Amino acid sequence: MGIRGLMSFVEDHSNEFFTDLKMRDTKIVIDGYALFHRLCFSSNLELRYGGDYDSFADVAQKFFESLFVCNICPYVVLDGGCDISDKKLKTLKDRAREKIQMAHSLSVGGGGYVCPLLIREVFIQVLIKLQVCFVQCFSEADRDIMTLANHWNCPVLSSDSDFCIFDLKTGFCPLNSFQWRNVNTIKGTQDCYIPAKCFSLDALCHHFSNMNKALLPLFAVLCGNDHINLPIIETFLSKVCLPLGATSSKGRRHHRVLGLLNWLSHFADTAEALDNVLKYLPKKDRENVKEILCCSMEEYQQSQVKLQDFFQHGTYACPAALNLDLPEWVLVALAKGQLSPFISDALVLRRTILHTQVENMQQPNAHRVSLPIRQMIYGLLLNASPHLENMSWKALPSQPLAFSEVERINKNIKTSIVNAVALPKDHADLSKLTELSLAKRQILLLDTLKVKQTILEPIPSSLKLPISVSCYWLQHTESKAKLHHLQALLLGMLMGPLHAIITSPDKEELREVGARMLYEEFQRVKEQTRPGTRLDLDTAHIFCQWQCCLQMGMYLNQLLSTPLPEPDLTRLYSGSLVHGLCRQLLTSTSVESLLSMCPEAKQLYEHLFNAIRSYAPAELFLPKGKSNSKKRRQKKHGTSWSKNRMGTTSDTRCCYEGSNRFGLLMAENLEEQIEVSELE
């Protein structure tokens, strides 16, 4: 949620509404959504290339290490799916449109803030690695965060202005004044603390004539939050005379906030204030508006959910979820973050929102490439609960297999209807999905990705899913990937194994030296990509498509209880590195020369390339600009284009200077097949 203009208003009165804290030796409840956005946008991370996930993971790790040094015990609470009432849909659509505009701005060299597609999954992996306690709520987390913090009598860390309305016993610490990078030591001791500011609800109420704090939820809904946007409230605001009182020079910017708080401070309680709101409205609308306002104010009351049960016993009861009669394993997996909110939205609402990346806005949205994977996910979710089957979903036609997707069309959004895959009976019951054998679940995953299991045998377990997804990506007609895109992607996947060699406690010196040299070379490429480099939009779009495939491949894998190991995303893909490698492979560098310094990485690259090559379109390995007739002529005269691989034309150089001997061998092996198919 969020109240328009409130956060900047209270920050303008920082000396009155906030107290300074030396944060240490305490539990703290953290709004996970707010935190990973804050870390992503305030750490000078490159946002144009689809995510430098290694850099983000390092920042997140340092954040929690600062807490540990100060003996602060974090409990992270993540938002889940949308509320079953779908009352926030308009707000979500508005934000989707804003995100498209920001993504477009970034794509053409402007500013903007767009979280990379897999940032949430990376954040969860960091939490797991650091053993930070976390829970994923069934829907929006704000009330559950407030209830947990009050139960433990500890502060909340967030950037959501709704926490200025919640009656928190120990207060609310905004993220932008939480100086975790500036850990201090108490004089004369070794005890560390983080400087922070804590918002005081009592101070706010005192400032406005000691107003009753019970009036603040009404203020929130009148001012406008994410859950309520009644046009008729504007009727009330246009008729009532809002007293501004003593205003600062910024009073005009905060006209509504200041006026409403001053106006409400004249009433003793919510009932009196509400009656005075309704009298400005037409009589025919009053009862309906009163019901909506009262329902919206409930969002600021204590939650029935007891998250402390989850942190103590590994499970908790959520009435909203229990009323839907969902399978127990699904509820457990959602709470543990093992299933994404995307899954719960599809399950409960039969509607999903496909998030825009920094992509080519003139092309169809990058998620189109992963549609068949999503249709399989929807098919698995169809038969979840009789309670869901009896629901009448909004905006859906009557056919039983229909799901709706909010997606980007050019620079706007559109709701599209897609059909789920109809599955056989033994796969169609969600409650029994976990009872399927590992072999059956693996076959279902790999069949969806159009990959044979045998090609994965030489691949390290941590890379089996990314390689399977890459095979799917190359086969899909939406993808326009070229050889250098594939090479750069596979080279980027070496970062994780290289890091493992370097940080291994039982390292061999010779092995480590080569790994470190290659790792440092990759870091140089990554750093050179960042400052002011022009974004290649087509390349960006191609890698956005790959990330969409990986995201949905991961969600399907999770839904099937991970028949393939979940990859470590933190060093699987670095956008700056992969884009930089693309440029180098098109100009001066070859894969072979890059990998010559580390034989182990070279061998792994060979395994990855060989696994994918049989799924890649044959034209991926052909020189650009060669006509079919010319290729046949070359064959007839005994001039094999594969032998002339370092030719001087720009088209040939672009295709081949980034190739290694494995790609060339493949091209040579395919030559006869290509010639035959052309003649046919």
Side-chain angles (χ1 to χ4, degrees), residues 484-498 518 522 571-572 577-578 581-582 585 589-592 594-595 601-602 605 608 658 660:
H484 64 282
H485 296 132
L486 173 60
Q487 292 171 325
L489 191 63
L490 296 182
L491 287 169
M493 289 183 192
L494 300 178
M495 284 292 273
L498 288 171
L518 183 56
F522 283 163
R571 284 183 172 79
L572 180 72
L577 171 62
V578 171
L581 286 169
C582 273
L585 291 169
T589 308
S590 71
V591 172
E592 200 160 37
L594 260 178
L595 297 181
K602 184 179 180 182
Y605 178 89
L608 302 182
N660 71 357

PDB file of all heavy atoms in Angstrom, residues 484-498 518 522 571-572 577-578 581-582 585 589-592 594-595 601-602 605 608 658 660:
ATOM      1  N   HIS A 484      26.984 -15.211 -31.342  1.00  0.00           N
ATOM      2  CA  HIS A 484      27.707 -14.485 -30.292  1.00  0.00           C
ATOM      3  C   HIS A 484      26.848 -14.272 -29.049  1.00  0.00           C
ATOM      4  O   HIS A 484      27.363 -14.180 -27.939  1.00  0.00           O
ATOM      5  CB  HIS A 484      28.254 -13.147 -30.829  1.00  0.00           C
ATOM      6  CG  HIS A 484      27.211 -12.170 -31.254  1.00  0.00           C
ATOM      7  ND1 HIS A 484      26.549 -12.268 -32.461  1.00  0.00           N
ATOM      8  CD2 HIS A 484      26.714 -11.059 -30.642  1.00  0.00           C
ATOM      9  CE1 HIS A 484      25.700 -11.263 -32.572  1.00  0.00           C
ATOM     10  NE2 HIS A 484      25.775 -10.523 -31.486  1.00  0.00           N
ATOM     11  N   HIS A 485      25.507 -14.229 -29.212  1.00  0.00           N
ATOM     12  CA  HIS A 485      24.630 -14.143 -28.042  1.00  0.00           C
ATOM     13  C   HIS A 485      24.732 -15.419 -27.211  1.00  0.00           C
ATOM     14  O   HIS A 485      24.859 -15.359 -25.982  1.00  0.00           O
ATOM     15  CB  HIS A 485      23.168 -13.935 -28.473  1.00  0.00           C
ATOM     16  CG  HIS A 485      22.918 -12.651 -29.189  1.00  0.00           C
ATOM     17  ND1 HIS A 485      22.206 -12.582 -30.370  1.00  0.00           N
ATOM     18  CD2 HIS A 485      23.296 -11.380 -28.905  1.00  0.00           C
ATOM     19  CE1 HIS A 485      22.148 -11.323 -30.772  1.00  0.00           C
ATOM     20  NE2 HIS A 485      22.804 -10.572 -29.907  1.00  0.00           N
ATOM     21  N   LEU A 486      24.664 -16.551 -27.896  1.00  0.00           N
ATOM     22  CA  LEU A 486      24.764 -17.832 -27.197  1.00  0.00           C
ATOM     23  C   LEU A 486      26.118 -17.971 -26.510  1.00  0.00           C
ATOM     24  O   LEU A 486      26.205 -18.382 -25.348  1.00  0.00           O
ATOM     25  CB  LEU A 486      24.544 -18.984 -28.191  1.00  0.00           C
ATOM     26  CG  LEU A 486      24.785 -20.400 -27.651  1.00  0.00           C
ATOM     27  CD1 LEU A 486      23.855 -20.698 -26.472  1.00  0.00           C
ATOM     28  CD2 LEU A 486      24.592 -21.437 -28.758  1.00  0.00           C
ATOM     29  N   GLN A 487      27.180 -17.626 -27.219  1.00  0.00           N
ATOM     30  CA  GLN A 487      28.520 -17.743 -26.643  1.00  0.00           C
ATOM     31  C   GLN A 487      28.668 -16.870 -25.408  1.00  0.00           C
ATOM     32  O   GLN A 487      29.196 -17.311 -24.379  1.00  0.00           O
ATOM     33  CB  GLN A 487      29.565 -17.347 -27.698  1.00  0.00           C
ATOM     34  CG  GLN A 487      29.670 -18.330 -28.856  1.00  0.00           C
ATOM     35  CD  GLN A 487      30.542 -17.786 -29.966  1.00  0.00           C
ATOM     36  OE1 GLN A 487      30.556 -16.583 -30.224  1.00  0.00           O
ATOM     37  NE2 GLN A 487      31.279 -18.667 -30.628  1.00  0.00           N
ATOM     38  N   ALA A 488      28.200 -15.617 -25.490  1.00  0.00           N
ATOM     39  CA  ALA A 488      28.313 -14.694 -24.355  1.00  0.00           C
ATOM     40  C   ALA A 488      27.524 -15.210 -23.153  1.00  0.00           C
ATOM     41  O   ALA A 488      27.983 -15.135 -22.006  1.00  0.00           O
ATOM     42  CB  ALA A 488      27.814 -13.310 -24.762  1.00  0.00           C
ATOM     43  N   LEU A 489      26.343 -15.749 -23.428  1.00  0.00           N
ATOM     44  CA  LEU A 489      25.502 -16.287 -22.359  1.00  0.00           C
ATOM     45  C   LEU A 489      26.192 -17.448 -21.651  1.00  0.00           C
ATOM     46  O   LEU A 489      26.231 -17.515 -20.403  1.00  0.00           O
ATOM     47  CB  LEU A 489      24.171 -16.744 -22.955  1.00  0.00           C
ATOM     48  CG  LEU A 489      23.047 -17.100 -21.984  1.00  0.00           C
ATOM     49  CD1 LEU A 489      22.638 -15.891 -21.163  1.00  0.00           C
ATOM     50  CD2 LEU A 489      21.856 -17.639 -22.755  1.00  0.00           C
ATOM     51  N   LEU A 490      26.759 -18.367 -22.425  1.00  0.00           N
ATOM     52  CA  LEU A 490      27.437 -19.533 -21.839  1.00  0.00           C
ATOM     53  C   LEU A 490      28.702 -19.122 -21.090  1.00  0.00           C
ATOM     54  O   LEU A 490      29.014 -19.671 -20.029  1.00  0.00           O
ATOM     55  CB  LEU A 490      27.770 -20.559 -22.926  1.00  0.00           C
ATOM     56  CG  LEU A 490      26.569 -21.198 -23.634  1.00  0.00           C
ATOM     57  CD1 LEU A 490      27.036 -22.240 -24.653  1.00  0.00           C
ATOM     58  CD2 LEU A 490      25.606 -21.830 -22.641  1.00  0.00           C
ATOM     59  N   LEU A 491      29.432 -18.163 -21.630  1.00  0.00           N
ATOM     60  CA  LEU A 491      30.618 -17.662 -20.925  1.00  0.00           C
ATOM     61  C   LEU A 491      30.216 -17.041 -19.587  1.00  0.00           C
ATOM     62  O   LEU A 491      30.885 -17.249 -18.565  1.00  0.00           O
ATOM     63  CB  LEU A 491      31.358 -16.633 -21.783  1.00  0.00           C
ATOM     64  CG  LEU A 491      32.133 -17.178 -22.990  1.00  0.00           C
ATOM     65  CD1 LEU A 491      32.590 -16.026 -23.891  1.00  0.00           C
ATOM     66  CD2 LEU A 491      33.337 -18.009 -22.546  1.00  0.00           C
ATOM     67  N   GLY A 492      29.112 -16.304 -19.592  1.00  0.00           N
ATOM     68  CA  GLY A 492      28.628 -15.703 -18.346  1.00  0.00           C
ATOM     69  C   GLY A 492      28.278 -16.745 -17.299  1.00  0.00           C
ATOM     70  O   GLY A 492      28.463 -16.518 -16.099  1.00  0.00           O
ATOM     71  N   MET A 493      27.797 -17.912 -17.746  1.00  0.00           N
ATOM     72  CA  MET A 493      27.451 -18.987 -16.811  1.00  0.00           C
ATOM     73  C   MET A 493      28.674 -19.595 -16.120  1.00  0.00           C
ATOM     74  O   MET A 493      28.539 -20.323 -15.137  1.00  0.00           O
ATOM     75  CB  MET A 493      26.683 -20.103 -17.545  1.00  0.00           C
ATOM     76  CG  MET A 493      25.281 -19.737 -17.950  1.00  0.00           C
ATOM     77  SD  MET A 493      24.460 -21.164 -18.735  1.00  0.00           S
ATOM     78  CE  MET A 493      23.021 -20.377 -19.437  1.00  0.00           C
ATOM     79  N   LEU A 494      29.861 -19.286 -16.632  1.00  0.00           N
ATOM     80  CA  LEU A 494      31.087 -19.820 -16.014  1.00  0.00           C
ATOM     81  C   LEU A 494      31.450 -19.073 -14.739  1.00  0.00           C
ATOM     82  O   LEU A 494      32.294 -19.548 -13.965  1.00  0.00           O
ATOM     83  CB  LEU A 494      32.258 -19.726 -17.000  1.00  0.00           C
ATOM     84  CG  LEU A 494      32.119 -20.475 -18.331  1.00  0.00           C
ATOM     85  CD1 LEU A 494      33.353 -20.240 -19.194  1.00  0.00           C
ATOM     86  CD2 LEU A 494      31.897 -21.965 -18.108  1.00  0.00           C
ATOM     87  N   MET A 495      30.834 -17.922 -14.504  1.00  0.00           N
ATOM     88  CA  MET A 495      31.207 -17.106 -13.343  1.00  0.00           C
ATOM     89  C   MET A 495      31.005 -17.853 -12.022  1.00  0.00           C
ATOM     90  O   MET A 495      31.841 -17.756 -11.115  1.00  0.00           O
ATOM     91  CB  MET A 495      30.401 -15.799 -13.336  1.00  0.00           C
ATOM     92  CG  MET A 495      30.876 -14.781 -14.337  1.00  0.00           C
ATOM     93  SD  MET A 495      32.504 -14.113 -13.947  1.00  0.00           S
ATOM     94  CE  MET A 495      32.093 -12.771 -12.859  1.00  0.00           C
ATOM     95  N   GLY A 496      29.902 -18.566 -11.911  1.00  0.00           N
ATOM     96  CA  GLY A 496      29.638 -19.318 -10.676  1.00  0.00           C
ATOM     97  C   GLY A 496      30.695 -20.376 -10.408  1.00  0.00           C
ATOM     98  O   GLY A 496      31.298 -20.411  -9.318  1.00  0.00           O
ATOM     99  N   PRO A 497      30.961 -21.282 -11.375  1.00  0.00           N
ATOM    100  CA  PRO A 497      32.017 -22.287 -11.180  1.00  0.00           C
ATOM    101  C   PRO A 497      33.391 -21.661 -10.927  1.00  0.00           C
ATOM    102  O   PRO A 497      34.161 -22.172 -10.100  1.00  0.00           O
ATOM    103  CB  PRO A 497      31.999 -23.070 -12.499  1.00  0.00           C
ATOM    104  CG  PRO A 497      30.600 -22.918 -13.003  1.00  0.00           C
ATOM    105  CD  PRO A 497      30.168 -21.553 -12.591  1.00  0.00           C
ATOM    106  N   LEU A 498      33.724 -20.576 -11.608  1.00  0.00           N
ATOM    107  CA  LEU A 498      35.013 -19.906 -11.377  1.00  0.00           C
ATOM    108  C   LEU A 498      35.096 -19.379  -9.946  1.00  0.00           C
ATOM    109  O   LEU A 498      36.115 -19.531  -9.268  1.00  0.00           O
ATOM    110  CB  LEU A 498      35.191 -18.745 -12.363  1.00  0.00           C
ATOM    111  CG  LEU A 498      35.465 -19.118 -13.821  1.00  0.00           C
ATOM    112  CD1 LEU A 498      35.402 -17.879 -14.700  1.00  0.00           C
ATOM    113  CD2 LEU A 498      36.817 -19.812 -13.977  1.00  0.00           C
ATOM    114  N   LEU A 518      40.831 -15.705 -15.337  1.00  0.00           N
ATOM    115  CA  LEU A 518      39.638 -15.608 -16.178  1.00  0.00           C
ATOM    116  C   LEU A 518      38.540 -14.818 -15.465  1.00  0.00           C
ATOM    117  O   LEU A 518      37.867 -13.968 -16.078  1.00  0.00           O
ATOM    118  CB  LEU A 518      39.125 -17.011 -16.541  1.00  0.00           C
ATOM    119  CG  LEU A 518      37.921 -17.065 -17.487  1.00  0.00           C
ATOM    120  CD1 LEU A 518      38.206 -16.319 -18.787  1.00  0.00           C
ATOM    121  CD2 LEU A 518      37.544 -18.521 -17.787  1.00  0.00           C
ATOM    122  N   PHE A 522      36.800 -11.382 -16.790  1.00  0.00           N
ATOM    123  CA  PHE A 522      35.353 -11.161 -16.890  1.00  0.00           C
ATOM    124  C   PHE A 522      34.941  -9.897 -16.119  1.00  0.00           C
ATOM    125  O   PHE A 522      34.077  -9.139 -16.570  1.00  0.00           O
ATOM    126  CB  PHE A 522      34.586 -12.371 -16.355  1.00  0.00           C
ATOM    127  CG  PHE A 522      34.538 -13.542 -17.306  1.00  0.00           C
ATOM    128  CD1 PHE A 522      34.193 -14.814 -16.851  1.00  0.00           C
ATOM    129  CD2 PHE A 522      34.830 -13.398 -18.658  1.00  0.00           C
ATOM    130  CE1 PHE A 522      34.144 -15.897 -17.723  1.00  0.00           C
ATOM    131  CE2 PHE A 522      34.784 -14.473 -19.530  1.00  0.00           C
ATOM    132  CZ  PHE A 522      34.441 -15.727 -19.063  1.00  0.00           C
ATOM    133  N   ARG A 571      25.274 -15.792  -9.558  1.00  0.00           N
ATOM    134  CA  ARG A 571      26.386 -15.696 -10.511  1.00  0.00           C
ATOM    135  C   ARG A 571      26.095 -16.467 -11.802  1.00  0.00           C
ATOM    136  O   ARG A 571      26.997 -16.933 -12.467  1.00  0.00           O
ATOM    137  CB  ARG A 571      27.680 -16.208  -9.856  1.00  0.00           C
ATOM    138  CG  ARG A 571      28.247 -15.201  -8.890  1.00  0.00           C
ATOM    139  CD  ARG A 571      29.557 -15.591  -8.262  1.00  0.00           C
ATOM    140  NE  ARG A 571      30.086 -14.462  -7.505  1.00  0.00           N
ATOM    141  CZ  ARG A 571      29.681 -14.105  -6.288  1.00  0.00           C
ATOM    142  NH1 ARG A 571      28.752 -14.816  -5.692  1.00  0.00           N
ATOM    143  NH2 ARG A 571      30.203 -13.062  -5.676  1.00  0.00           N
ATOM    144  N   LEU A 572      24.818 -16.562 -12.126  1.00  0.00           N
ATOM    145  CA  LEU A 572      24.443 -17.240 -13.367  1.00  0.00           C
ATOM    146  C   LEU A 572      24.377 -16.256 -14.533  1.00  0.00           C
ATOM    147  O   LEU A 572      24.744 -16.590 -15.660  1.00  0.00           O
ATOM    148  CB  LEU A 572      23.083 -17.916 -13.196  1.00  0.00           C
ATOM    149  CG  LEU A 572      22.561 -18.664 -14.418  1.00  0.00           C
ATOM    150  CD1 LEU A 572      23.360 -19.944 -14.641  1.00  0.00           C
ATOM    151  CD2 LEU A 572      21.076 -18.992 -14.267  1.00  0.00           C
ATOM    152  N   LEU A 577      28.188  -8.005 -17.968  1.00  0.00           N
ATOM    153  CA  LEU A 577      29.205  -8.927 -18.483  1.00  0.00           C
ATOM    154  C   LEU A 577      28.777  -9.504 -19.830  1.00  0.00           C
ATOM    155  O   LEU A 577      29.550  -9.501 -20.802  1.00  0.00           O
ATOM    156  CB  LEU A 577      29.448 -10.057 -17.476  1.00  0.00           C
ATOM    157  CG  LEU A 577      30.326 -11.212 -17.970  1.00  0.00           C
ATOM    158  CD1 LEU A 577      31.735 -10.735 -18.311  1.00  0.00           C
ATOM    159  CD2 LEU A 577      30.371 -12.345 -16.936  1.00  0.00           C
ATOM    160  N   VAL A 578      27.571  -9.999 -19.911  1.00  0.00           N
ATOM    161  CA  VAL A 578      27.106 -10.680 -21.127  1.00  0.00           C
ATOM    162  C   VAL A 578      27.028  -9.704 -22.295  1.00  0.00           C
ATOM    163  O   VAL A 578      27.435 -10.030 -23.417  1.00  0.00           O
ATOM    164  CB  VAL A 578      25.756 -11.380 -20.856  1.00  0.00           C
ATOM    165  CG1 VAL A 578      25.149 -11.899 -22.140  1.00  0.00           C
ATOM    166  CG2 VAL A 578      25.940 -12.536 -19.871  1.00  0.00           C
ATOM    167  N   LEU A 581      30.630  -9.005 -23.323  1.00  0.00           N
ATOM    168  CA  LEU A 581      31.190 -10.137 -24.076  1.00  0.00           C
ATOM    169  C   LEU A 581      30.657 -10.151 -25.506  1.00  0.00           C
ATOM    170  O   LEU A 581      31.393 -10.474 -26.447  1.00  0.00           O
ATOM    171  CB  LEU A 581      30.866 -11.449 -23.364  1.00  0.00           C
ATOM    172  CG  LEU A 581      31.663 -11.729 -22.079  1.00  0.00           C
ATOM    173  CD1 LEU A 581      31.062 -12.908 -21.317  1.00  0.00           C
ATOM    174  CD2 LEU A 581      33.135 -12.004 -22.403  1.00  0.00           C
ATOM    175  N   CYS A 582      29.384  -9.814 -25.673  1.00  0.00           N
ATOM    176  CA  CYS A 582      28.814  -9.745 -27.027  1.00  0.00           C
ATOM    177  C   CYS A 582      29.617  -8.781 -27.895  1.00  0.00           C
ATOM    178  O   CYS A 582      29.954  -9.088 -29.040  1.00  0.00           O
ATOM    179  CB  CYS A 582      27.353  -9.278 -26.962  1.00  0.00           C
ATOM    180  SG  CYS A 582      26.180 -10.605 -26.718  1.00  0.00           S
ATOM    181  N   LEU A 585      33.113 -10.256 -28.682  1.00  0.00           N
ATOM    182  CA  LEU A 585      33.073 -11.383 -29.617  1.00  0.00           C
ATOM    183  C   LEU A 585      32.815 -10.911 -31.045  1.00  0.00           C
ATOM    184  O   LEU A 585      33.149 -11.607 -32.005  1.00  0.00           O
ATOM    185  CB  LEU A 585      31.997 -12.386 -29.189  1.00  0.00           C
ATOM    186  CG  LEU A 585      32.297 -13.160 -27.894  1.00  0.00           C
ATOM    187  CD1 LEU A 585      31.060 -13.923 -27.423  1.00  0.00           C
ATOM    188  CD2 LEU A 585      33.461 -14.124 -28.085  1.00  0.00           C
ATOM    189  N   THR A 589      37.804 -10.439 -29.875  1.00  0.00           N
ATOM    190  CA  THR A 589      38.077 -11.585 -29.008  1.00  0.00           C
ATOM    191  C   THR A 589      37.426 -12.846 -29.539  1.00  0.00           C
ATOM    192  O   THR A 589      36.354 -12.801 -30.125  1.00  0.00           O
ATOM    193  CB  THR A 589      37.534 -11.300 -27.586  1.00  0.00           C
ATOM    194  OG1 THR A 589      38.051 -10.048 -27.151  1.00  0.00           O
ATOM    195  CG2 THR A 589      37.942 -12.372 -26.601  1.00  0.00           C
ATOM    196  N   SER A 590      38.073 -13.977 -29.289  1.00  0.00           N
ATOM    197  CA  SER A 590      37.450 -15.271 -29.588  1.00  0.00           C
ATOM    198  C   SER A 590      37.246 -16.020 -28.281  1.00  0.00           C
ATOM    199  O   SER A 590      37.939 -15.778 -27.288  1.00  0.00           O
ATOM    200  CB  SER A 590      38.338 -16.099 -30.517  1.00  0.00           C
ATOM    201  OG  SER A 590      39.487 -16.547 -29.820  1.00  0.00           O
ATOM    202  N   VAL A 591      36.276 -16.910 -28.273  1.00  0.00           N
ATOM    203  CA  VAL A 591      36.021 -17.729 -27.093  1.00  0.00           C
ATOM    204  C   VAL A 591      37.278 -18.509 -26.723  1.00  0.00           C
ATOM    205  O   VAL A 591      37.648 -18.603 -25.552  1.00  0.00           O
ATOM    206  CB  VAL A 591      34.841 -18.698 -27.354  1.00  0.00           C
ATOM    207  CG1 VAL A 591      34.695 -19.692 -26.214  1.00  0.00           C
ATOM    208  CG2 VAL A 591      33.548 -17.924 -27.551  1.00  0.00           C
ATOM    209  N   GLU A 592      37.947 -19.053 -27.741  1.00  0.00           N
ATOM    210  CA  GLU A 592      39.116 -19.894 -27.491  1.00  0.00           C
ATOM    211  C   GLU A 592      40.233 -19.115 -26.792  1.00  0.00           C
ATOM    212  O   GLU A 592      40.851 -19.601 -25.851  1.00  0.00           O
ATOM    213  CB  GLU A 592      39.632 -20.481 -28.809  1.00  0.00           C
ATOM    214  CG  GLU A 592      40.507 -21.713 -28.611  1.00  0.00           C
ATOM    215  CD  GLU A 592      40.580 -22.534 -29.887  1.00  0.00           C
ATOM    216  OE1 GLU A 592      40.618 -21.927 -30.961  1.00  0.00           O
ATOM    217  OE2 GLU A 592      40.569 -23.774 -29.795  1.00  0.00           O
ATOM    218  N   LEU A 594      39.903 -16.428 -24.939  1.00  0.00           N
ATOM    219  CA  LEU A 594      39.462 -16.090 -23.589  1.00  0.00           C
ATOM    220  C   LEU A 594      39.667 -17.255 -22.624  1.00  0.00           C
ATOM    221  O   LEU A 594      40.141 -17.080 -21.502  1.00  0.00           O
ATOM    222  CB  LEU A 594      37.971 -15.732 -23.608  1.00  0.00           C
ATOM    223  CG  LEU A 594      37.556 -14.266 -23.594  1.00  0.00           C
ATOM    224  CD1 LEU A 594      36.042 -14.158 -23.658  1.00  0.00           C
ATOM    225  CD2 LEU A 594      38.070 -13.544 -22.363  1.00  0.00           C
ATOM    226  N   LEU A 595      39.302 -18.453 -23.078  1.00  0.00           N
ATOM    227  CA  LEU A 595      39.316 -19.620 -22.193  1.00  0.00           C
ATOM    228  C   LEU A 595      40.677 -20.295 -22.102  1.00  0.00           C
ATOM    229  O   LEU A 595      40.858 -21.207 -21.299  1.00  0.00           O
ATOM    230  CB  LEU A 595      38.268 -20.640 -22.655  1.00  0.00           C
ATOM    231  CG  LEU A 595      36.812 -20.164 -22.608  1.00  0.00           C
ATOM    232  CD1 LEU A 595      35.871 -21.269 -23.076  1.00  0.00           C
ATOM    233  CD2 LEU A 595      36.430 -19.719 -21.199  1.00  0.00           C
ATOM    234  N   ALA A 601      37.636 -24.230 -17.125  1.00  0.00           N
ATOM    235  CA  ALA A 601      36.507 -23.457 -17.655  1.00  0.00           C
ATOM    236  C   ALA A 601      36.274 -23.796 -19.125  1.00  0.00           C
ATOM    237  O   ALA A 601      35.131 -23.874 -19.583  1.00  0.00           O
ATOM    238  CB  ALA A 601      36.772 -21.963 -17.489  1.00  0.00           C
ATOM    239  N   LYS A 602      37.367 -24.012 -19.850  1.00  0.00           N
ATOM    240  CA  LYS A 602      37.254 -24.364 -21.266  1.00  0.00           C
ATOM    241  C   LYS A 602      36.512 -25.683 -21.441  1.00  0.00           C
ATOM    242  O   LYS A 602      35.629 -25.809 -22.299  1.00  0.00           O
ATOM    243  CB  LYS A 602      38.654 -24.452 -21.876  1.00  0.00           C
ATOM    244  CG  LYS A 602      38.666 -24.724 -23.373  1.00  0.00           C
ATOM    245  CD  LYS A 602      40.094 -24.760 -23.878  1.00  0.00           C
ATOM    246  CE  LYS A 602      40.138 -25.028 -25.372  1.00  0.00           C
ATOM    247  NZ  LYS A 602      41.518 -25.124 -25.880  1.00  0.00           N
ATOM    248  N   TYR A 605      32.821 -25.150 -20.673  1.00  0.00           N
ATOM    249  CA  TYR A 605      32.184 -24.451 -21.787  1.00  0.00           C
ATOM    250  C   TYR A 605      31.879 -25.431 -22.926  1.00  0.00           C
ATOM    251  O   TYR A 605      30.804 -25.375 -23.536  1.00  0.00           O
ATOM    252  CB  TYR A 605      33.089 -23.313 -22.283  1.00  0.00           C
ATOM    253  CG  TYR A 605      32.509 -22.583 -23.478  1.00  0.00           C
ATOM    254  CD1 TYR A 605      31.666 -21.489 -23.303  1.00  0.00           C
ATOM    255  CD2 TYR A 605      32.787 -22.996 -24.780  1.00  0.00           C
ATOM    256  CE1 TYR A 605      31.121 -20.823 -24.393  1.00  0.00           C
ATOM    257  CE2 TYR A 605      32.246 -22.334 -25.876  1.00  0.00           C
ATOM    258  CZ  TYR A 605      31.414 -21.252 -25.677  1.00  0.00           C
ATOM    259  OH  TYR A 605      30.865 -20.599 -26.758  1.00  0.00           O
ATOM    260  N   LEU A 608      28.776 -27.378 -22.108  1.00  0.00           N
ATOM    261  CA  LEU A 608      27.568 -26.557 -22.227  1.00  0.00           C
ATOM    262  C   LEU A 608      27.218 -26.327 -23.694  1.00  0.00           C
ATOM    263  O   LEU A 608      26.060 -26.471 -24.104  1.00  0.00           O
ATOM    264  CB  LEU A 608      27.778 -25.203 -21.528  1.00  0.00           C
ATOM    265  CG  LEU A 608      28.144 -25.223 -20.040  1.00  0.00           C
ATOM    266  CD1 LEU A 608      28.274 -23.791 -19.505  1.00  0.00           C
ATOM    267  CD2 LEU A 608      27.135 -25.999 -19.226  1.00  0.00           C
ATOM    268  N   GLY A 658      34.011 -14.633 -32.997  1.00  0.00           N
ATOM    269  CA  GLY A 658      33.656 -15.053 -31.652  1.00  0.00           C
ATOM    270  C   GLY A 658      33.532 -16.551 -31.521  1.00  0.00           C
ATOM    271  O   GLY A 658      33.215 -17.061 -30.461  1.00  0.00           O
ATOM    272  N   ASN A 660      34.468 -20.616 -31.342  1.00  0.00           N
ATOM    273  CA  ASN A 660      35.582 -21.481 -30.946  1.00  0.00           C
ATOM    274  C   ASN A 660      35.512 -22.742 -31.798  1.00  0.00           C
ATOM    275  O   ASN A 660      34.622 -22.913 -32.622  1.00  0.00           O
ATOM    276  CB  ASN A 660      35.536 -21.788 -29.450  1.00  0.00           C
ATOM    277  CG  ASN A 660      34.397 -22.718 -29.089  1.00  0.00           C
ATOM    278  OD1 ASN A 660      33.601 -23.089 -29.937  1.00  0.00           O
ATOM    279  ND2 ASN A 660      34.313 -23.078 -27.828  1.00  0.00           N
TER     280      ASN A 660
END
